[in-house]
Amino acid sequence: MSQEKWAELALESFDAVVASIPGFRVREGQRKMAAQVAQTLAAAQLGKQEDGAPEPQKSIAVVQAGTGVGKSLAYSAPAIAMALMRGTRVLISTATVALQEQLVNKDLPALAQQMPMPFKFALAKGRGRFVCKLKLERLASSGENSEEVDDLFAEEAAEQRRARPQAEKEARMQFYASMADALAAGEWNGDRDSLPNPPEAEAWSPVAAEGSSCTGKHCPVFNDCTYYERRKEMVAAQVIVANHDLLLSSLGARLLPDLNDSLLILDEAHHLPQTALSQFACEMDMSRLQWIDKLASRALRVGQLLDLDEIADLAGYSSGLREHLTELARLVMEVYGEQLKGQKDSWGPARVRVPRGDLPAPLLEPLAQVMHHASGFLDVLRAIAKGLKAEIKDKPDEAQRLSQLYAQVGTLAPRLEAVHDCAQLLSQQPEVREHGTETVPNAKWFTLEVEGDYIVVKGHASPILPGATLRHHLWSQVRGAVLTSATLTSCGSFDFFLREAGLHNDAAVQTLEVASPFDYAAQGTLITHQTRTDPREAAAFTREMVERLMHDISHVEAGALVLFTSREQMRLAVDALPSSMRNQVLVQTAMPRAVLLAEHRQRVEQGLPSIIFGMQSFGEGLDLPGALCESLFITKLPFAPPDDPVGEARAEWLRSSGRNPFNELVVPATAIRLAQWVGRAIRTEEDQAHVYCYDRRLVATSYGTQLLKGLPPFSLEKRNA
């Protein structure tokens, strides 16, 4: 079948679904997006290519779909129809749990009832969200002084473990026993998120089904494994819903469908660049090293049991790793100690960044030694893993004991991998190219914190350009993809997002902007209040802004949302509330999000004024239609200055290249965030709302004019102080 015919049939499938929904109105923008999705995915050449064959055709669309377009239906119906015709699968990746749940619990079930061809869908979760039955059985039945109990607190320093009350250890053991009983009785399916009260990471980690401690099909309880049971559901599904973190972390691991032979949809795609930076950053602890001896001891014991020659060098690798990590920590304190100790009163760990990513020469040799010994140690562990799996296969009667040995070694292996990867990134020094410019450096920094009697020194490293990272790791594998969000343009252009996402100047990429069906000029008003004080004078500006805010929110009659840029700003506003208004305000930090929103909805339904005070997380993904948000107050433009180590390193590199970080990074990123914030105001075609902004820079600066270009075309009202 031709590409044109595939696209035509996929769009017809979308039209049929729309026609079958009672009372559903055809939206021009939604159909335009569906047509783009169909054409894009039809043009992608999927599957493995024969040796010597031409480079397969890639096809990628970047689609900004304004609020109200109905983008989930616009991409899912044609993409699923396309996958069914082509005998492949659709992978939908989102940034938030809320959208995942909406797709799996609402959108896809409804679509499955409407589409003529049946399809199955499944939610993909990381292996670590599921319990390992073997670990759970071991911990639920272990004695209180055993090595297994000691492992429960492996992340903590030895002194802290000894100080933990015995009653707390016993309570933890009872918790594991109750989980094991519920699992055995069929009252729980092994999914962490389905527990009535999901445990904290510290309690869950010892029983999580991590890949490093799993023997897979060699495990004695493989046929009864909760994770692999869920995997069977995924294998049978034509549509898989995942998230950006899982997508990037599982590249090359075969946890999700092969990207060169499936169709990829990235919703909430504006989060992808930041997710990439977080995913490929790494850290290593250079102070708490007891795990090295524990891992070496276990590996030696198992290696001797298997009679492996590879363990001959194990003692040298482990002692060398410990020695050089200790030396590295000492040298870091020698070079950066004064700077780190000078921050002891600051919030969080003290931190010092390596300028230009150019690590001082004394640190390079111990880093090289850390890499050498970690690499050798990892080779020994791989040999042990291979030997254990072979032994399990040959001796099925001993599978349980051997699998437990595998888990004991594998539990600590990720720390060794993290040390190796972090040392590798830290060791990469910037190089001068032939034309005199330097290669893009990695962000590198060290932290110092005190935990009990321990001084903990850590090394950190990260790439600074998400686009380059995504090009190398993700787009090199993808053939057909659609990236979508309500906010992909910045200051009226796709350029910033395309650069951040690694798609700039890619011939396979097409862009499309689909306007919202809302009549923003008639439905909303943007009121800009020009304060006397410059917003950069934080204290004076906040006083003036809070005074004006108190006046404006006193006129709220239904639902309202106030968005702050800092906790201190919000605290001062709360303190300024008159007693007559305090029972009208719900503060984000005072109660769980779900409880707060339910209370807000109840008050508005009763005809009472209800005002939410929130911060960044309330500026995105919050759906408050109609009377729930008739007024939106933006206290200050949500600038995101590059004050984290990665942002600082990137800004430094841009300046050294003669470029302007404010114009290239800060303004475009702020434009996307501001568009998200303003998007909380109008959620349906019937909504009416007023948006207030107290930051005069929005209308008084050249970059403010750029920010306005990225906002909905509200009626604009300027108000002087």
Side-chain angles (χ1 to χ4, degrees):
M1 193 179 294
S2 68
Q3 294 179 8
E4 292 77 10
K5 191 62 177 176
W6 275 333
E8 180 186 332
L9 292 174
L11 187 57
E12 285 179 5
S13 182
F14 165 80
D15 289 336
V17 169
V18 170
S20 69
I21 303 174
F24 192 83
R25 286 183 290 176
V26 177
R27 302 173 186 174
E28 181 184 348
Q30 187 181 48
R31 191 174 191 278
K32 187 177 179 182
M33 178 178 174
Q36 180 68 67
V37 171
Q39 292 163 13
T40 299
L41 300 182
Q45 287 184 290
L46 304 179
K48 294 182 179 179
Q49 301 295 302
E50 295 180 6
D51 292 340
E55 190 72 19
Q57 181 175 338
K58 295 172 61 176
S59 183
I60 299 172
V62 176
V63 183
Q64 175 168 292
T67 305
V69 166
K71 66 181 186 301
S72 61
L73 179 60
Y75 64 65
S76 57
I80 293 169
M82 182 73 65
L84 295 175
M85 284 187 288
R86 300 188 64 175
T88 186
R89 298 198 281 176
V90 179
L91 173 59
I92 302 174
S93 179
T94 76
T96 62
V97 172
L99 182 53
Q100 278 184 297
E101 291 177 345
Q102 177 186 316
L103 286 166
V104 171
N105 298 325
K106 179 182 176 184
D107 295 351
L108 291 175
L111 187 58
Q113 293 181 343
Q114 305 295 337
M115 289 190 69
M117 298 177 67
F119 68 89
K120 294 180 180 179
F121 57 90
L123 175 63
K125 294 185 179 183
R127 187 192 296 255
R129 310 300 291 182
F130 299 94
V131 74
C132 170
K133 288 189 174 182
L134 203 64
K135 289 182 182 178
L136 184 61
E137 289 172 7
R138 178 167 61 94
L139 288 172
S141 60
S142 60
E144 62 185 36
N145 296 315
S146 67
E147 184 178 2
E148 284 82 1
V149 175
D150 188 53
D151 281 346
L152 296 181
F153 313 109
E155 294 293 331
E156 302 171 6
E159 289 297 323
Q160 290 174 296
R161 290 203 305 271
R162 282 195 289 270
R164 184 177 288 272
Q166 183 63 28
E168 191 168 337
K169 289 185 181 182
E170 292 173 358
R172 182 73 60 84
M173 300 312 301
Q174 180 57 42
F175 169 69
Y176 291 129
S178 66
M179 277 206 300
D181 291 342
L183 195 62
E187 298 168 357
W188 176 48
N189 63 2
D191 183 338
R192 176 188 180 277
D193 301 318
S194 67
L195 286 167
N197 297 298
E200 296 297 326
E202 179 195 341
W204 178 257
S205 179
V207 295
E210 298 294 352
S212 61
S213 57
C214 177
T215 56
K217 63 182 179 181
H218 302 288
C219 178
V221 294
F222 173 73
N223 292 328
D224 207 21
C225 176
T226 54
Y227 169 69
Y228 281 102
E229 281 299 311
R230 184 63 63 91
R231 290 276 298 160
K232 290 177 186 176
E233 295 176 19
M234 282 178 51
V235 169
Q238 289 83 32
V239 183
I240 296 171
V241 180
N243 60 51
H244 301 342
D245 277 309
L246 181 60
L247 172 68
L248 296 179
S249 66
S250 62
L251 290 173
R254 303 186 67 83
L255 296 176
L256 297 172
D258 289 339
L259 295 176
N260 65 3
D261 197 26
S262 56
L263 306 175
L264 175 64
I265 306 290
L266 290 160
D267 202 343
E268 300 177 313
H270 60 285
H271 285 287
L272 184 65
Q274 185 55 52
T275 303
L277 286 180
S278 301
Q279 192 61 236
F280 295 104
C282 56
E283 71 173 41
M284 63 179 182
D285 188 331
M286 298 179 285
S287 301
R288 294 173 296 189
L289 306 178
Q290 298 94 333
W291 64 270
I292 296 176
D293 295 335
K294 182 179 287 188
L295 178 57
S297 172
R298 294 179 183 180
L300 183 63
R301 187 170 73 238
V302 177
Q304 289 172 339
L305 179 70
L306 300 173
D307 197 23
L308 294 176
D309 294 336
E310 288 85 352
I311 63 171
D313 298 321
L314 183 58
Y317 289 139
S318 61
S319 63
L321 182 62
R322 175 187 266 276
E323 174 189 341
H324 291 291
L325 280 171
T326 303
E327 174 68 1
L328 192 58
R330 185 188 69 78
L331 289 169
V332 166
M333 292 304 296
E334 195 172 284
V335 175
Y336 298 111
E338 292 303 314
Q339 292 171 263
L340 289 167
K341 291 175 182 176
Q343 302 174 47
K344 62 183 178 181
D345 295 327
S346 64
W347 183 85
R351 183 185 78 205
V352 60
R353 186 177 60 82
V354 179
R356 300 174 303 283
D358 190 7
L359 213 62
L363 302 184
L364 295 177
E365 179 56 26
L367 261 178
Q369 290 297 323
V370 166
M371 282 178 58
H372 167 73
H373 289 95
S375 180
F377 203 156
L378 285 169
D379 287 341
V380 174
L381 295 188
R382 293 187 190 102
I384 289 172
K386 183 178 178 181
L388 273 173
K389 287 181 177 179
E391 193 81 353
I392 292 170
K393 185 178 180 180
D394 293 340
K395 300 176 181 178
D397 292 344
E398 297 185 38
Q400 179 128 354
R401 180 179 66 88
L402 294 169
S403 292
Q404 288 176 348
L405 292 176
Y406 189 101
Q408 285 186 10
V409 173
T411 297
L412 295 173
R415 296 198 203 183
L416 183 58
E417 292 169 351
V419 167
H420 178 270
D421 293 346
C422 191
Q424 190 172 46
L425 272 187
L426 284 169
S427 297
Q428 293 173 1
Q429 293 286 76
E431 300 174 3
V432 179
R433 297 190 182 99
E434 290 182 7
H435 46 79
T437 61
E438 285 190 343
T439 55
V440 180
N442 293 320
K444 304 173 185 178
W445 68 101
F446 297 98
T447 57
L448 172 69
E449 56 187 321
V450 178
E451 295 189 0
D453 296 332
Y454 281 73
I455 295 176
V456 180
V457 182
K458 292 182 180 179
H460 309 256
S462 170
I464 65 171
L465 297 182
T469 301
L470 287 167
R471 269 196 308 275
H472 177 69
H473 292 283
L474 179 65
W475 303 125
S476 60
Q477 301 183 41
V478 171
R479 300 281 179 77
V482 174
L483 296 83
T484 187
S485 167
T487 50
L488 293 180
T489 60
S490 180
C491 306
S493 168
F494 281 101
D495 287 351
F496 176 69
F497 175 75
L498 292 175
R499 285 196 302 270
E500 293 293 282
L503 296 172
H504 198 251
N505 293 328
D506 190 325
V509 175
Q510 298 181 68
T511 60
L512 173 67
E513 185 173 355
V514 180
S516 168
F518 303 157
D519 185 351
Y520 283 104
Q523 291 182 249
T525 304
L526 174 59
I527 301 165
T528 61
H529 181 84
Q530 300 191 60
T531 57
R532 296 181 300 275
T533 314
D534 190 313
R536 289 173 294 186
E537 299 172 19
F541 168 78
T542 299
R543 284 195 298 271
E544 184 180 351
M545 178 275 294
V546 167
E547 182 180 345
R548 186 67 217 188
L549 176 67
M550 293 301 112
H551 174 270
D552 289 340
I553 64 175
S554 68
H555 294 91
V556 168
E557 296 180 354
L561 174 63
V562 184
L563 292 172
F564 297 90
T565 57
S566 71
R567 286 180 179 270
E568 177 63 11
Q569 197 185 50
M570 186 165 72
R571 184 189 68 78
L572 291 171
V574 171
D575 290 347
L577 285 168
S579 56
S580 60
M581 290 185 63
R582 288 186 176 271
N583 64 349
Q584 298 176 10
V585 174
L586 299 167
V587 183
Q588 176 184 348
T589 54
M591 63 185 79
R593 179 183 177 119
V595 175
L596 182 148
L597 294 178
E599 175 71 16
H600 176 71
R601 190 168 286 106
Q602 183 178 355
R603 290 184 185 182
V604 174
E605 287 173 352
Q606 293 172 351
L608 301 173
S610 182
I611 304 164
I612 297 174
F613 278 14
M615 294 180 60
Q616 170 62 25
S617 63
F618 273 42
E620 181 176 349
L622 201 62
D623 191 24
L624 299 171
L628 294 176
C629 186
E630 290 187 346
S631 302
L632 172 68
F633 301 89
I634 296 173
T635 56
K636 195 175 184 180
L637 290 176
F639 282 109
D643 53 5
D644 63 288
V646 178
E648 288 172 354
R650 188 173 180 185
E652 179 183 64
W653 173 70
L654 287 172
R655 282 191 293 268
S656 70
S657 304
R659 295 153 68 182
N660 187 320
F662 183 77
N663 291 336
E664 287 198 37
L665 289 180
V666 178
V667 171
T670 302
I672 290 177
R673 182 175 292 181
L674 181 62
Q676 284 284 345
W677 283 26
V678 170
R680 299 313 99 209
I682 304 291
R683 307 300 297 174
T684 74
E685 294 178 28
E686 289 75 38
D687 285 1
Q688 294 282 331
H690 289 81
V691 179
Y692 298 79
C693 180
Y694 299 98
D695 195 321
R696 69 186 192 188
R697 292 173 293 184
L698 186 60
V699 291
T701 63
S702 58
Y703 60 80
T705 303
Q706 290 179 270
L707 297 178
L708 277 172
K709 287 180 183 177
L711 299 182
F714 289 112
S715 299
L716 183 62
E717 180 183 316
K718 296 181 181 179
R719 188 171 71 179
N720 294 319

Short mmCIF file of all heavy atoms in Angstrom, two decimals, residues 219-245:
data_model
loop_
_atom_site.label_atom_id
_atom_site.label_comp_id
_atom_site.label_asym_id
_atom_site.label_seq_id
_atom_site.Cartn_x
_atom_site.Cartn_y
_atom_site.Cartn_z
N CYS A 219 15.11 -17.25 36.74
CA CYS A 219 14.63 -17.15 38.12
C CYS A 219 13.62 -18.27 38.41
O CYS A 219 12.77 -18.57 37.58
CB CYS A 219 13.97 -15.79 38.33
SG CYS A 219 13.27 -15.57 39.99
N PRO A 220 13.67 -18.85 39.59
CA PRO A 220 12.74 -19.95 39.92
C PRO A 220 11.28 -19.50 39.99
O PRO A 220 10.38 -20.33 39.88
CB PRO A 220 13.24 -20.44 41.28
CG PRO A 220 14.03 -19.31 41.84
CD PRO A 220 14.66 -18.63 40.67
N VAL A 221 11.02 -18.19 40.19
CA VAL A 221 9.63 -17.72 40.23
C VAL A 221 9.30 -16.90 38.97
O VAL A 221 8.37 -16.11 38.98
CB VAL A 221 9.36 -16.89 41.51
CG1 VAL A 221 9.47 -17.77 42.73
CG2 VAL A 221 10.30 -15.70 41.61
N PHE A 222 10.06 -17.12 37.90
CA PHE A 222 9.85 -16.36 36.66
C PHE A 222 8.42 -16.50 36.15
O PHE A 222 7.81 -15.51 35.74
CB PHE A 222 10.84 -16.84 35.59
CG PHE A 222 10.60 -16.23 34.23
CD1 PHE A 222 10.92 -14.91 33.98
CD2 PHE A 222 10.03 -16.98 33.20
CE1 PHE A 222 10.69 -14.34 32.74
CE2 PHE A 222 9.80 -16.43 31.96
CZ PHE A 222 10.13 -15.10 31.73
N ASN A 223 7.88 -17.69 36.17
CA ASN A 223 6.53 -17.91 35.63
C ASN A 223 5.45 -17.27 36.48
O ASN A 223 4.28 -17.21 36.07
CB ASN A 223 6.25 -19.41 35.50
CG ASN A 223 7.12 -20.06 34.43
OD1 ASN A 223 7.45 -19.43 33.44
ND2 ASN A 223 7.48 -21.32 34.65
N ASP A 224 5.82 -16.79 37.66
CA ASP A 224 4.86 -16.16 38.56
C ASP A 224 5.26 -14.71 38.86
O ASP A 224 4.79 -14.13 39.83
CB ASP A 224 4.81 -16.98 39.86
CG ASP A 224 3.48 -16.87 40.57
OD1 ASP A 224 2.50 -16.52 39.90
OD2 ASP A 224 3.44 -17.11 41.79
N CYS A 225 6.11 -14.13 38.02
CA CYS A 225 6.68 -12.80 38.27
C CYS A 225 5.69 -11.69 37.87
O CYS A 225 5.15 -11.70 36.76
CB CYS A 225 7.97 -12.64 37.47
SG CYS A 225 8.72 -11.00 37.61
N THR A 226 5.46 -10.76 38.78
CA THR A 226 4.51 -9.69 38.51
C THR A 226 4.99 -8.79 37.37
O THR A 226 4.19 -8.36 36.53
CB THR A 226 4.30 -8.83 39.77
OG1 THR A 226 5.56 -8.36 40.25
CG2 THR A 226 3.64 -9.63 40.87
N TYR A 227 6.28 -8.51 37.33
CA TYR A 227 6.81 -7.65 36.27
C TYR A 227 6.66 -8.31 34.90
O TYR A 227 6.18 -7.69 33.94
CB TYR A 227 8.27 -7.30 36.53
CG TYR A 227 8.94 -6.64 35.35
CD1 TYR A 227 8.58 -5.36 34.96
CD2 TYR A 227 9.92 -7.30 34.61
CE1 TYR A 227 9.18 -4.74 33.86
CE2 TYR A 227 10.52 -6.70 33.51
CZ TYR A 227 10.16 -5.42 33.15
OH TYR A 227 10.74 -4.82 32.06
N TYR A 228 7.05 -9.57 34.79
CA TYR A 228 6.97 -10.24 33.50
C TYR A 228 5.53 -10.54 33.08
O TYR A 228 5.24 -10.64 31.89
CB TYR A 228 7.85 -11.50 33.48
CG TYR A 228 9.30 -11.16 33.28
CD1 TYR A 228 10.20 -11.17 34.35
CD2 TYR A 228 9.78 -10.79 32.03
CE1 TYR A 228 11.53 -10.83 34.17
CE2 TYR A 228 11.11 -10.44 31.84
CZ TYR A 228 11.98 -10.47 32.91
OH TYR A 228 13.29 -10.11 32.72
N GLU A 229 4.63 -10.65 34.05
CA GLU A 229 3.21 -10.77 33.70
C GLU A 229 2.74 -9.49 33.03
O GLU A 229 2.00 -9.52 32.05
CB GLU A 229 2.37 -11.05 34.96
CG GLU A 229 2.41 -12.49 35.43
CD GLU A 229 1.87 -13.45 34.39
OE1 GLU A 229 0.77 -13.21 33.85
OE2 GLU A 229 2.56 -14.45 34.09
N ARG A 230 3.16 -8.33 33.57
CA ARG A 230 2.80 -7.06 32.95
C ARG A 230 3.47 -6.92 31.59
O ARG A 230 2.89 -6.35 30.67
CB ARG A 230 3.21 -5.90 33.88
CG ARG A 230 2.80 -4.53 33.36
CD ARG A 230 1.29 -4.36 33.26
NE ARG A 230 0.63 -4.47 34.54
CZ ARG A 230 0.40 -3.41 35.33
NH1 ARG A 230 0.77 -2.20 34.95
NH2 ARG A 230 -0.21 -3.57 36.48
N ARG A 231 4.67 -7.44 31.45
CA ARG A 231 5.35 -7.40 30.16
C ARG A 231 4.57 -8.17 29.10
O ARG A 231 4.53 -7.77 27.93
CB ARG A 231 6.76 -8.01 30.29
CG ARG A 231 7.74 -7.19 31.08
CD ARG A 231 8.40 -6.13 30.25
NE ARG A 231 9.18 -6.68 29.16
CZ ARG A 231 9.53 -5.99 28.09
NH1 ARG A 231 9.15 -4.75 27.97
NH2 ARG A 231 10.25 -6.55 27.14
N LYS A 232 3.94 -9.28 29.51
CA LYS A 232 3.13 -10.05 28.56
C LYS A 232 1.98 -9.20 28.03
O LYS A 232 1.63 -9.26 26.85
CB LYS A 232 2.59 -11.31 29.23
CG LYS A 232 3.65 -12.36 29.53
CD LYS A 232 3.01 -13.55 30.26
CE LYS A 232 4.07 -14.55 30.72
NZ LYS A 232 3.47 -15.65 31.51
N GLU A 233 1.37 -8.39 28.91
CA GLU A 233 0.29 -7.50 28.49
C GLU A 233 0.81 -6.49 27.46
O GLU A 233 0.14 -6.18 26.48
CB GLU A 233 -0.29 -6.76 29.69
CG GLU A 233 -1.00 -7.63 30.70
CD GLU A 233 -1.46 -6.84 31.91
OE1 GLU A 233 -1.55 -5.59 31.79
OE2 GLU A 233 -1.73 -7.45 32.96
N MET A 234 2.03 -6.00 27.70
CA MET A 234 2.61 -5.03 26.77
C MET A 234 2.90 -5.66 25.42
O MET A 234 2.66 -5.05 24.37
CB MET A 234 3.90 -4.46 27.37
CG MET A 234 3.68 -3.40 28.42
SD MET A 234 5.25 -2.82 29.10
CE MET A 234 6.15 -2.41 27.62
N VAL A 235 3.41 -6.88 25.42
CA VAL A 235 3.75 -7.55 24.17
C VAL A 235 2.50 -7.76 23.33
O VAL A 235 2.53 -7.68 22.09
CB VAL A 235 4.45 -8.90 24.45
CG1 VAL A 235 4.57 -9.73 23.19
CG2 VAL A 235 5.82 -8.66 25.07
N ALA A 236 1.36 -7.99 23.99
CA ALA A 236 0.11 -8.24 23.27
C ALA A 236 -0.59 -6.96 22.85
O ALA A 236 -1.58 -7.01 22.11
CB ALA A 236 -0.82 -9.06 24.16
N ALA A 237 -0.10 -5.80 23.29
CA ALA A 237 -0.78 -4.54 23.01
C ALA A 237 -0.25 -3.87 21.75
O ALA A 237 0.93 -3.93 21.46
CB ALA A 237 -0.62 -3.60 24.21
N GLN A 238 -1.16 -3.22 21.03
CA GLN A 238 -0.76 -2.42 19.87
C GLN A 238 -0.44 -0.98 20.27
O GLN A 238 0.22 -0.26 19.52
CB GLN A 238 -1.88 -2.40 18.82
CG GLN A 238 -2.08 -3.71 18.08
CD GLN A 238 -2.96 -4.66 18.88
OE1 GLN A 238 -3.86 -4.24 19.60
NE2 GLN A 238 -2.70 -5.95 18.75
N VAL A 239 -0.92 -0.56 21.44
CA VAL A 239 -0.69 0.80 21.92
C VAL A 239 -0.09 0.72 23.32
O VAL A 239 -0.67 0.08 24.21
CB VAL A 239 -1.99 1.63 21.96
CG1 VAL A 239 -1.70 3.07 22.39
CG2 VAL A 239 -2.69 1.61 20.60
N ILE A 240 1.04 1.36 23.51
CA ILE A 240 1.71 1.35 24.82
C ILE A 240 1.88 2.79 25.29
O ILE A 240 2.36 3.65 24.54
CB ILE A 240 3.07 0.65 24.72
CG1 ILE A 240 2.86 -0.83 24.36
CG2 ILE A 240 3.84 0.77 26.03
CD1 ILE A 240 4.13 -1.55 24.03
N VAL A 241 1.47 3.05 26.52
CA VAL A 241 1.58 4.38 27.10
C VAL A 241 2.72 4.37 28.12
O VAL A 241 2.72 3.57 29.06
CB VAL A 241 0.27 4.81 27.79
CG1 VAL A 241 0.42 6.20 28.39
CG2 VAL A 241 -0.88 4.80 26.79
N ALA A 242 3.70 5.24 27.92
CA ALA A 242 4.87 5.32 28.81
C ALA A 242 5.06 6.78 29.23
O ALA A 242 4.18 7.62 29.05
CB ALA A 242 6.11 4.77 28.10
N ASN A 243 6.21 7.08 29.78
CA ASN A 243 6.55 8.48 30.07
C ASN A 243 7.95 8.78 29.56
O ASN A 243 8.71 7.87 29.22
CB ASN A 243 6.41 8.79 31.57
CG ASN A 243 7.30 7.93 32.43
OD1 ASN A 243 8.50 7.82 32.20
ND2 ASN A 243 6.73 7.30 33.45
N HIS A 244 8.28 10.06 29.51
CA HIS A 244 9.56 10.46 28.92
C HIS A 244 10.75 9.88 29.66
O HIS A 244 11.75 9.49 29.05
CB HIS A 244 9.68 11.99 28.89
CG HIS A 244 8.60 12.68 28.11
ND1 HIS A 244 7.81 12.03 27.20
CD2 HIS A 244 8.18 13.98 28.11
CE1 HIS A 244 6.95 12.89 26.67
NE2 HIS A 244 7.16 14.07 27.21
N ASP A 245 10.65 9.80 30.99
CA ASP A 245 11.75 9.23 31.78
C ASP A 245 12.01 7.78 31.39
O ASP A 245 13.15 7.37 31.17
CB ASP A 245 11.44 9.31 33.28
CG ASP A 245 11.78 10.67 33.87
OD1 ASP A 245 12.91 11.13 33.66
OD2 ASP A 245 10.91 11.26 34.52
#
